């Protein structure tokens, strides 16, 4: 049986080094074994560029396989999340795919090779843990969906605070067609985004959700234009409205919104007090008081 712990303060990155800002779901005792298994399925990469603006771009890069996740990409994703957990200057994150499409889920070649229940459970736990930590980053995150987001790719979109789509893009939880249910935490998160009725419909019909439907049901937060570099530039512009300001304040806003979303009320109130204490009397607060700001 696997140990669950929801409030870890110490977890490990892909290289096995401990870090202290983690928000892991499972105990890291089993990670060495899981890492060994995943490292047997190479291909593609997960690239991270941290920009001076405080917005980082994470690229799922395996275009020959429609950006499907190989085993080593799962390891790299965990490592990138660890780097972002420790990025003090960070404010925002855009997650997108290379070559004009988002992600087609797990690499079916790897899936075929590890189709036994034990390995499936390990992969499931590993990705649940990584994507939970992604969602809990103190950064405002947006998934930019161009082309297709299928299966685990659709689940990845739900591990961001927001989703933006190009007009012809689609999100589809195809799991039912594969004889599966989401296993990367996508069902639990989808219910929180579109409600239980909406999630049940999307999962049970394996509905192709285009950009118009996604916006109508609250799965998408807006449409951006297609074109080489255009969608990414538009996503950065969109995110800029939410990340303007000092990093400690933006990170504090994400933390209070996150605790309100995840914790019972009294616990969330305590967390809000704790975060409030980190910005009250801080430099941004004192500068605003000195400016005698008016909010007309
Ligand atoms: C808990 C996680 C659950 C999961 O994620 S299960 C995986 C769910 N995903 C899938 O089933 C995706 C299956 N693929 C497709 O439906 C189609 O390939 C897709 C993405 C709609 C793209 O269609 P097209 O534009 O017609 O392109 P295509 O089929 O020729 O694909 C181009 C090359 O990419 C490959 N590919 C696409 N998705 C893949 C995947 N998930 N794993 C491994 N390889 C994958 C595809 O086999 C093809 O390769 P090749 O050119 O035949 O060598």
């Amino acid at each position: 049986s696997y140990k669950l712990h929801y409030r870890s303060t110490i977890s490990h990155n892909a290289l096995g080094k401990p870090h202290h800002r983690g928000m892991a779901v499972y105990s890291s005792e089993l990670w060495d074994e899981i890492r060994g298994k995943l490292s047997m399925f190479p291909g593609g990469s997960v690239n991270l560029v941290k920009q001076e603006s405080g917005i980082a771009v994470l690229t799922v890069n395996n275009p020959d396989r429609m950006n499907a996740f190989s085993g080593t990409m799962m390891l790299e994703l965990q490592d990138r999340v660890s780097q972002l957990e420790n990025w003090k200057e960070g404010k925002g994150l855009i997650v997108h795919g290379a070559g004009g499409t988002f992600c087609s889920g797990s690499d079916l070649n790897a899936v075929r090779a590890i189709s036994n229940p034990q390995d499936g459970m390990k992969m499931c736990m590993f990705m649940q843990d990584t994507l939970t930590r992604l969602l809990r980053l103190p950064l405002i995150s947006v998934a930019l969906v161009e082309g297709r987001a299928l299966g685990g790719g659709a689940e990845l979109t739900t591990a961001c605070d927001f989703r933006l789509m190009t007009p012809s893009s689609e999100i589809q939880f195809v799991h039912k067609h594969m004889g599966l249910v989401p296993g990367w935490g996508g069902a639990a998160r989808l219910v929180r985004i579109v409600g239980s009725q909406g999630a049940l419909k999307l999962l049970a019909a394996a509905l192709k959700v285009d950009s118009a439907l996604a916006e109508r049901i609250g799965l998408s937060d807006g449409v951006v234009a297609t074109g080489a570099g255009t969608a990414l530039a538009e996503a950065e512009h969109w995110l800029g409205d939410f990340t303007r300001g000092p990093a400690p304040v933006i990170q504090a806003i994400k933390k209070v919104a996150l605790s309100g979303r995840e914790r019972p009320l009294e616990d969330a109130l305590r967390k809000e007090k704790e975060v409030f204490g980190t910005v009250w009397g801080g430099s941004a607060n004192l500068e605003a008081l000195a400016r005698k700001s008016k909010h007309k």
Side-chain angles (χ1 to χ4, degrees):
S1 70
Y2 300 117
K3 283 187 196 152
L4 275 169
H5 68 126
Y6 290 95
R7 289 222 209 135
S8 155
T9 50
I10 303 179
S11 55
H12 295 74
N13 67 18
L15 302 171
K17 291 186 186 141
H19 61 84
H20 301 266
R21 298 184 70 198
M23 300 278 262
V25 179
Y26 296 106
S27 130
S28 56
E29 287 156 27
L30 290 152
W31 280 176
D32 284 346
E33 195 192 329
I34 299 176
R35 276 196 201 101
K37 191 57 121 182
L38 292 175
S39 66
M40 291 162 67
F41 302 99
S45 61
V46 177
N47 308 328
L48 178 65
V49 177
K50 290 185 208 156
Q51 308 181 128
E52 267 190 29
S53 61
I55 294 180
V57 178
L58 187 84
T59 307
V60 181
N61 178 45
N62 193 6
D64 289 348
R65 293 185 175 173
M66 309 300 281
N67 300 326
F69 265 91
S70 67
T72 53
M73 286 169 71
M74 292 181 191
L75 296 175
E76 279 188 34
L77 179 66
Q78 191 201 50
D79 195 32
R80 302 301 180 224
V81 170
S82 297
Q83 288 173 23
L84 290 167
E85 282 170 344
N86 293 297
W87 189 28
K88 298 234 165 25
E89 298 78 29
K91 300 193 275 184
L93 173 68
I94 298 172
V95 178
H96 78 141
T101 194
F102 189 73
C103 170
S104 63
S106 48
D107 185 330
L108 293 171
N109 303 298
V111 167
R112 277 179 208 109
I114 59 164
S115 59
N116 67 78
Q118 290 81 7
D119 286 343
M121 285 297 285
K122 286 176 197 157
M123 189 267 288
C124 158
M125 287 167 57
F126 189 85
M127 286 303 282
Q128 277 193 0
D129 190 83
T130 302
L131 295 187
T132 302
R133 285 170 52 197
L134 175 64
L135 185 59
R136 289 177 178 170
L137 286 172
L139 307 172
I140 301 179
S141 57
V142 58
L144 167 62
V145 183
E146 297 175 89
R148 312 284 299 269
L150 292 186
E155 296 192 59
L156 174 60
T157 71
T158 64
C160 292
D161 298 311
F162 300 108
R163 281 142 296 281
L164 293 175
M165 296 173 72
T166 54
S168 61
S169 65
E170 285 171 355
I171 299 176
Q172 188 180 11
F173 292 83
V174 294
H175 305 74
K176 178 187 159 184
H177 295 326
M178 304 294 295
L180 290 173
V181 294
W184 296 359
R189 292 187 298 267
L190 187 63
V191 166
R192 284 163 171 76
I193 297 167
V194 299
S196 60
Q197 300 292 99
L200 192 56
K201 283 182 191 163
L202 297 194
L203 297 177
L207 265 184
K208 269 188 190 170
V209 185
D210 65 20
S211 57
L213 175 59
E215 215 172 351
R216 207 159 60 240
I217 63 177
L219 183 59
S220 162
D221 300 277
V223 178
V224 292
T226 322
T230 313
L232 192 55
E234 281 201 22
E236 277 198 64
H237 180 73
W238 185 89
L239 191 54
D241 279 347
F242 305 105
T243 54
R244 199 166 299 120
V249 177
I250 307 301
Q251 293 199 4
I253 289 167
K254 169 67 187 271
K255 284 176 191 165
V256 293
L258 177 74
S259 66
R261 181 162 70 201
E262 289 200 342
R263 297 174 183 224
L265 183 62
E266 289 196 1
D267 203 8
L269 292 175
R270 268 193 294 275
K271 180 69 184 174
E272 188 173 304
K273 174 172 71 89
E274 187 189 303
V275 176
F276 180 76
T278 68
V279 287
W280 176 261
S283 56
N285 179 223
L286 295 179
E287 280 164 27
L289 291 172
R291 274 199 310 273
K292 297 187 180 162
S293 302
K294 291 193 178 176
H295 312 285
K296 288 183 177 174

